[in-house]
Amino acid sequence: MSAAAPPASAFEGTSREIAFTCDEQGALTWLDARAEAVLGAAVGTRLVELAARGTEAKVERFLRERLAADDAPRPEPWEVVLRLSGQTTVLALRARRYAPGGLAVTASLVPADYAEAVGQVSGHLSEMATLHREAERQERELRRRHEELLRLQAEREESFRAVLTLHREIGEKDDSLRRAGEVKSRLVANVSHEFRTPLNSILGLTRLLLDRTDGDLTPEQETQLGFVRQSAEALYALVNDLLDLSKMEAGKVGLRVEPVSVAALFASLRGMLRPLANKPDVELVVDPGTVDATLDTDTGKIGQILRNLVANALKFTDRGEVRVSAELGTRGKEPVVRFLVKDTGVGIAPDDQPRVFEEFFQVEGHAERGPGTGLGLSLARHLAERLGGALELASTLGEGSTFTLEVPVHHPEARELDSLRERSRVLAPGNKAVLVVEDDRQTLFLYEKYLTGSGFQVVPARTLDEARAAMEHAPPAAIVLDIMLDGEASWSFLRDLKMDPRTRDIPTLVVTVTNREDHARALGADEFWLKPIEKEWLLAKLRQLARRGPVDTVLVIDDDEVSRYLLAKSLEGTTYRVLEASDGAEGVRLARELAPQVIFLDFVMPNTSAFDVLDDLKRDPVTRGIPVIIHTSKNLASDERSRLEREASAILSKQSLSREIAIARIREALDKHGLRGGEQGKENAG
Amino acid sequence: MPPAVLDTPSTAPRDAAPATPALAARYLDALVAGDRREAFRIVLDEGLGRGVSVKNLHLDVIQPAQREVGRLWEENLLSVAEEHLATAISQLVMAHLYPHLPRRPANGRRVVVACVEGELHDVGARMGADFLEMAGYEVRFLGANVPTDSLVDLVVRERPDALGLSVVLRDHAPAALEVVAQAREALGSELAVLLGGPGVDAGLAAAAGASVFGARADELVDAFDAALGGRP
């Protein structure tokens, strides 16, 4: 039996086993053909060199243990990892000593097959574990962001609360500052006022003495009196400036806006400024040039400002000229006029320029140039702002200064007030007139703003005369009276108002800057309030007072108590006040005494007919004009109806009474008589 | 640098917690027997549930048991299949511990941890990633056998503060060198690289221009802290 040995490849793919031998050192001593092919090694190669890096120890251990082991019928297999053709491959080795120091080894490739499968499974598993980890991580990240958002939100809420608190604190500070400012203004105003009276006396008395009314004076006495007069005049000027300034700060400076041409303004300025020019080497030039325009502003204030500027310029100019000129320009779209006061005087250093407008600021070394109140420029700037304009300074030290007063051609408030007046002439339907006596335009606008949409309408009066004229025109539903700085006239106005039977019932709210509540109440004020006015208070008081006022009185003449009750009930909560009379005679008496705006008259009453009552009412001039609404449950005969239609304003059947109808009929009746619905019409009755 | 002490106080008093060597021995038995449920019970119920910290479970139970599995294979007492099964069980156990990691506040550092291409042994890398997370790092753990291209792409995209590569078998060192070379080419030399695992020695680390990290997961945290210049 012999055959040629088959090539190793003949077993390729069918055999999973190879065989080789090695010596004590683990060097290969013989390999079968397949072992040569699979291991890719030759005789002499050490087995441990084939081991995958890191697993050499196990190969060495295998050799050591097998060389020392007893022969066993079937030795234990050892799984080792070899690196074969670049691949780590698991082989199961079984070895037996066949000679001293020699090992015969059979290696099975089967473990490589299952190791690969197991490896793949555990690879997938590890991948899943990694994915799981990643999912966890992302969830944690989401949670973290969520918490971050919550934290941010909480922080935002906190800072929001902090801002609120801050706002409240600022508000409180603001209030206390305003109060302090008001106290200061009031103090300055009062003190200045108290100063003026004795100063007037001093000035008057010195004039008398200087005029030699009481005999001649020695030259020495004349000089002394001159000093007295000079000092008194300086003091007087200071007090006046102070007073102006405090008025300005209190927003109490009224404007008298009227149209004037630039040319005319300069003509009057020339006359006014000439007496100021008293230096031989300084020429005062007041020349508008070719500028001409018609200004709509307070020329008195412009004169006051320019006088201050010119006096100032003359004081600091020793030679050369002080020139007052004008030019036209625009600020934004607004046309403006600029008045320039240019001098060739000492000039003002850049550092001092902003400060010269401060109260009582004096440039160093300028004090010896003569007396000044220290208020002139400050006042001038305030006035300029009050005119809606500005006062600026340009100056070079040693060369001179130019003050520029810029004012809008049309004073904005003038336009607004005109339109407010215009609006107040026509009372919107359902609105009540509130006469507001207040000299400050701004405050008038404020009142108008507060009362918008409230059912009240401002009739502005900036002087007491205007107020009286407005009252003559149409008595208002209420009066808001601002006690002006010159208080006495205002108090008298209030006293007269409350003494006159025609006006005493008009509710009057007194508003002041100083607490004079007792005084106001004593003179008959219905309400008192310390400035500044508050919208809520104003509206509440007006509603409360105007309702109980005499404005909308309705007289019901009806013998039936239930009818009277029903009518009163339907008008409950409206502005109408219901007076009741249970028979004709009482009705006529009440009508005479209280002059209601409308009378509801029952057609059928015991002992009296509606016609008798109508006749009585027509006979008396006080009651003649009061519209009468016949209120009846009777079906009227045609002659009755036609007569009633002639003599009464409306006929209202008792069955159809409702709140809406009652109010509508009252309005119609008032309209028919030429009175506006809901408005006072008392003069027609009288 | 102080070691990262992350043990959170547990509800159970410390002395009532079972001794970790005993747990480790029983855990190894469960691994060798391929008893997944028992392994879970030991780590989660008897360990975590009774106050053993996650860190201790990692360092004193799972890691020694895994080492022992390797030794048993080397001594021919475990087959390759049994070793794989044991490792799979440990991976699942760690996945269950992961949500319980006690974490320091974030330190603002982002790191990527991965096993290089061909490297299938990811238990060590996973444990390292867990420890870094506990220390406050933001960790992207990519798992075993990450193809070089994907790994480099991700690193370039994420621009982490540090890259940690695990090499268990020395044969995978070239893949690690390749990743480091490509990542540095794209991002410059500022990228801190740390190599770890039994397959890494000083020579490989020097070749990669990397710090080496230790055999223990807590030493790894120290190595990262040092490489990134301490905690910001």
Side-chain angles (χ1 to χ4, degrees):
Chain A
M1 273 241 323
S2 74
S9 58
F11 300 97
E12 185 68 55
T14 56
S15 166
R16 304 300 287 154
E17 298 218 329
I18 58 173
F20 56 85
T21 60
C22 59
D23 61 18
E24 270 175 311
Q25 275 72 45
L28 298 173
T29 48
W30 171 85
L31 302 92
D32 69 2
R34 274 190 38 76
E36 272 178 25
V38 170
L39 296 182
V43 169
T45 307
R46 294 182 65 224
L47 193 56
V48 75
E49 287 167 29
L50 297 174
R53 308 273 287 272
T55 65
E56 295 87 343
K58 185 165 183 180
V59 174
E60 280 168 355
R61 188 179 206 116
F62 157 73
L63 292 170
R64 202 164 56 242
E65 288 203 6
R66 289 324 299 162
L67 283 166
D70 291 334
D71 282 348
R74 187 172 166 74
E76 280 289 304
W78 281 67
E79 284 180 357
V80 298
V81 185
L82 302 184
R83 190 155 183 88
L84 302 177
S85 333
Q87 297 284 316
T88 48
T89 310
V90 181
L91 292 95
L93 308 182
R94 285 172 203 273
R96 172 180 292 138
R97 255 183 327 155
Y98 72 94
L103 275 181
V105 184
T106 318
S108 168
L109 290 170
V110 173
D113 301 336
Y114 75 68
E116 195 190 327
V118 169
Q120 272 187 20
V121 170
S122 66
H124 293 321
L125 185 79
S126 128
E127 207 166 297
M128 276 171 62
T130 306
L131 283 176
H132 169 257
R133 196 174 195 284
E134 182 65 12
E136 283 271 352
R137 191 186 67 82
Q138 286 180 2
E139 192 193 317
R140 207 174 55 249
E141 178 65 15
L142 281 176
R143 222 166 25 233
R144 193 186 62 73
R145 290 198 186 161
H146 177 68
E147 278 160 15
E148 176 73 7
L149 281 176
L150 286 180
R151 194 180 58 75
L152 279 177
Q153 195 184 343
E155 265 177 25
R156 240 198 4 226
E157 270 169 22
E158 242 168 54
S159 47
F160 179 62
R161 268 197 300 276
V163 167
L164 279 186
T165 313
L166 220 58
H167 265 288
R168 214 167 28 243
E169 278 173 18
I170 290 171
E172 282 164 12
K173 283 267 189 315
D174 196 39
D175 279 351
S176 72
L177 279 177
R178 209 182 50 219
R179 269 196 299 278
E182 273 167 21
V183 168
K184 191 202 88 181
S185 298
R186 232 180 286 151
L187 182 75
V188 171
N190 290 341
V191 168
S192 306
H193 227 76
E194 300 305 316
F195 272 135
R196 273 219 288 206
T197 320
L199 275 172
N200 274 323
S201 311
I202 296 171
L203 286 170
L205 289 170
T206 42
R207 173 151 292 282
L208 277 179
L209 289 170
L210 284 169
D211 288 350
R212 273 95 170 153
T213 321
D214 290 311
D216 214 350
L217 300 169
T218 67
E220 193 62 23
Q221 283 171 328
E222 186 168 356
T223 312
Q224 286 167 359
L225 274 174
F227 286 141
V228 170
R229 187 174 169 77
Q230 247 176 40
S231 307
E233 272 172 352
L235 194 55
Y236 194 76
L238 174 64
V239 167
N240 278 348
D241 280 358
L242 264 179
L243 199 58
D244 279 353
L245 204 62
S246 76
K247 274 187 188 169
M248 198 91 55
E249 282 176 355
K252 300 285 294 186
V253 169
L255 291 181
R256 189 174 299 274
V257 175
E258 55 206 3
V260 65
S261 75
V262 172
L265 176 61
F266 266 74
S268 69
L269 278 176
R270 219 171 279 130
M272 187 171 77
L273 298 174
R274 196 173 299 122
L276 297 176
N278 49 8
K279 287 186 178 174
D281 296 334
V282 181
E283 193 186 357
L284 174 63
V285 183
V286 181
D287 182 9
T290 57
V291 172
D292 202 15
T294 299
L295 285 164
D296 206 359
T297 188
D298 188 329
T299 50
K301 296 280 181 295
I302 291 183
Q304 201 178 343
I305 296 168
L306 292 178
R307 199 168 53 235
N308 266 314
L309 296 178
V310 168
N312 195 62
L314 287 168
K315 194 158 110 185
F316 294 108
T317 306
D318 297 324
R319 59 183 56 81
E321 65 167 24
V322 171
R323 177 177 285 272
V324 184
S325 59
E327 59 185 48
L328 291 175
T330 52
R331 167 172 289 194
K333 284 183 180 163
E334 182 87 9
V336 296
V337 175
R338 292 193 194 96
F339 298 92
L340 288 83
V341 178
K342 189 173 189 322
D343 65 53
T344 55
V346 295
I348 300 164
D351 283 353
D352 288 331
Q353 287 180 16
R355 301 200 60 204
V356 297
F357 294 107
E358 288 174 14
E359 287 137 35
F360 299 112
F361 176 77
Q362 193 73 263
V363 174
E364 199 122 339
H366 282 184
E368 70 270 18
R369 283 191 172 264
T373 62
L375 291 173
L377 288 178
S378 167
L379 188 61
R381 179 167 262 189
H382 274 106
L383 283 168
E385 281 161 8
R386 191 67 184 83
L387 290 175
L391 180 59
E392 304 295 342
L393 162 64
S395 183
T396 310
L397 204 57
E399 288 179 21
S401 310
T402 303
F403 283 89
T404 306
L405 165 66
E406 181 183 280
V407 291
V409 169
H410 300 288
H411 191 282
E413 276 180 26
R415 283 196 308 259
E416 282 177 46
L417 192 70
D418 284 348
S419 68
L420 172 57
R421 279 225 176 76
E422 201 53 48
R423 285 195 293 279
S424 76
R425 268 192 248 287
V426 183
L427 211 53
N431 267 7
K432 290 163 178 255
V434 175
L435 178 65
V436 179
V437 188
E438 162 68 64
D439 60 342
D440 181 52
R441 285 162 216 260
Q442 296 289 359
T443 314
L444 280 172
F445 296 137
L446 199 63
Y447 276 109
E448 198 195 22
K449 208 170 90 194
Y450 284 173
L451 296 187
T452 300
S454 67
F456 295 102
Q457 193 167 328
V458 169
V459 175
R462 295 189 49 226
T463 62
L464 296 173
D465 287 341
E466 269 184 44
R468 287 190 193 96
M471 303 259 294
E472 286 300 316
H473 175 67
I479 298 172
V480 177
L481 176 62
D482 178 72
I483 300 294
M484 297 167 210
L485 214 56
D486 283 329
E488 269 324 302
S490 307
W491 292 123
S492 313
F493 176 78
L494 174 63
R495 187 168 41 235
D496 295 347
L497 196 70
K498 287 299 176 183
M499 303 240 306
D500 187 337
R502 289 177 306 157
T503 54
R504 77 159 67 109
D505 290 336
I506 302 175
T508 303
L509 287 71
V510 169
V511 177
T512 70
V513 284
T514 47
N515 192 348
R516 305 294 303 278
E517 178 156 12
D518 293 344
H519 196 51
R521 298 270 190 204
L523 291 179
D526 296 81
E527 279 298 339
F528 176 85
W529 188 257
L530 210 54
K531 276 193 168 184
I533 201 85
E534 272 173 23
K535 182 180 179 179
E536 301 314 320
W537 175 86
L538 179 67
L539 286 179
K541 290 302 171 194
L542 280 177
R543 290 204 177 101
Q544 183 187 328
L545 290 173
R547 182 169 304 159
R548 70 151 209 252
V551 180
D552 298 300
T553 321
V554 174
L555 173 63
V556 187
I557 307 172
D558 198 320
D559 64 310
D560 179 16
E561 195 187 343
V562 178
S563 284
R564 295 198 309 267
Y565 172 79
L566 282 176
L567 192 66
K569 202 71 190 160
S570 356
L571 293 176
E572 201 171 73
T574 67
T575 56
Y576 299 104
R577 184 163 67 112
V578 177
L579 298 169
E580 298 181 27
S582 57
D583 61 51
E586 193 193 348
V588 172
R589 186 179 59 78
L590 282 177
R592 276 196 198 110
E593 280 177 15
L594 300 170
Q597 273 64 62
V598 178
I599 296 172
F600 277 79
L601 177 60
D602 184 22
F603 186 67
V604 184
M605 281 182 293
N607 312 325
T608 336
S609 88
F611 295 114
D612 295 338
V613 176
L614 279 171
D615 286 344
D616 286 347
L617 290 172
K618 295 284 178 244
R619 245 193 307 277
D620 190 324
V622 175
T623 54
R624 189 179 294 150
I626 304 175
V628 177
I629 298 168
I630 298 298
H631 194 215
T632 180
S633 48
K634 186 186 178 221
N635 281 327
L636 298 170
S638 65
D639 61 322
E640 286 171 338
R641 178 171 282 279
S642 58
R643 187 177 163 196
L644 284 175
E645 278 171 354
R646 261 197 322 278
E647 295 183 14
S649 300
I651 300 168
L652 175 62
S653 116
K654 282 189 178 175
Q655 291 91 318
S656 62
L657 178 72
S658 74
R659 180 193 182 84
E660 287 71 28
I661 287 172
I663 293 170
R665 287 289 173 273
I666 294 172
R667 290 232 167 101
E668 282 167 19
L670 290 169
D671 281 347
K672 214 166 174 177
H673 283 69
L675 308 172
R676 236 173 256 111
E679 197 194 339
Q680 169 72 294
K682 223 170 169 182
E683 76 269 36
N684 294 53
Chain B
M1 184 145 313
V5 180
L6 299 162
D7 306 43
T8 44
S10 58
T11 45
R14 191 78 195 153
D15 54 4
T20 44
L23 280 184
R26 289 171 48 216
Y27 180 68
L28 178 63
D29 289 346
L31 289 187
V32 170
D35 191 339
R36 178 165 48 89
R37 284 199 190 155
E38 176 67 5
F40 271 55
R41 209 186 53 74
I42 291 165
V43 172
L44 297 176
D45 296 347
E46 291 189 27
L48 197 66
R50 288 170 61 186
V52 183
S53 73
V54 174
K55 192 183 142 200
N56 281 65
L57 289 170
H58 274 112
L59 289 180
D60 303 338
V61 178
I62 300 170
Q63 194 170 343
Q66 278 300 127
R67 288 234 171 85
E68 193 60 13
V69 166
R71 197 187 60 77
L72 289 174
W73 173 79
E74 207 172 278
E75 288 184 11
N76 205 36
L77 296 172
L78 281 182
S79 71
V80 169
E82 287 165 327
E83 186 206 359
H84 273 299
L85 181 56
T87 304
I89 292 172
S90 281
Q91 275 188 337
L92 284 179
V93 166
M94 284 166 68
H96 278 266
L97 284 179
Y98 179 74
H100 302 286
L101 294 188
R103 290 179 168 83
R104 271 179 185 272
N107 65 10
R109 304 287 204 188
R110 289 183 309 116
V111 297
V112 168
V113 175
C115 298
V116 295
E117 183 162 351
E119 183 54 75
L120 300 171
H121 300 80
D122 64 352
V123 174
R126 187 181 300 275
M127 199 172 282
D130 284 355
F131 269 67
L132 286 170
E133 279 206 25
M134 286 192 269
Y137 285 87
E138 185 189 330
V139 182
R140 287 297 305 276
F141 177 67
L142 305 179
N145 188 19
V146 183
T148 299
D149 291 349
S150 325
L151 182 48
V152 172
D153 280 354
L154 185 123
V155 169
V156 170
R157 201 170 58 239
E158 299 251 316
R159 295 178 172 273
D161 295 302
L163 169 64
L165 296 177
S166 172
V167 181
V168 178
L169 295 183
R170 184 64 201 245
D171 290 326
H172 301 123
L177 289 174
E178 185 61 29
V179 170
V180 173
Q182 288 189 26
R184 286 240 165 95
E185 193 183 317
L187 295 179
S189 55
E190 289 138 54
L191 175 72
V193 175
L194 292 102
L195 298 180
V200 181
D201 56 24
L204 176 63
S211 322
V212 194
F213 57 72
R216 277 173 62 94
D218 47 0
E219 291 165 6
L220 159 105
V221 171
D222 291 346
F224 270 78
D225 286 347
L228 293 177
R231 295 193 182 92

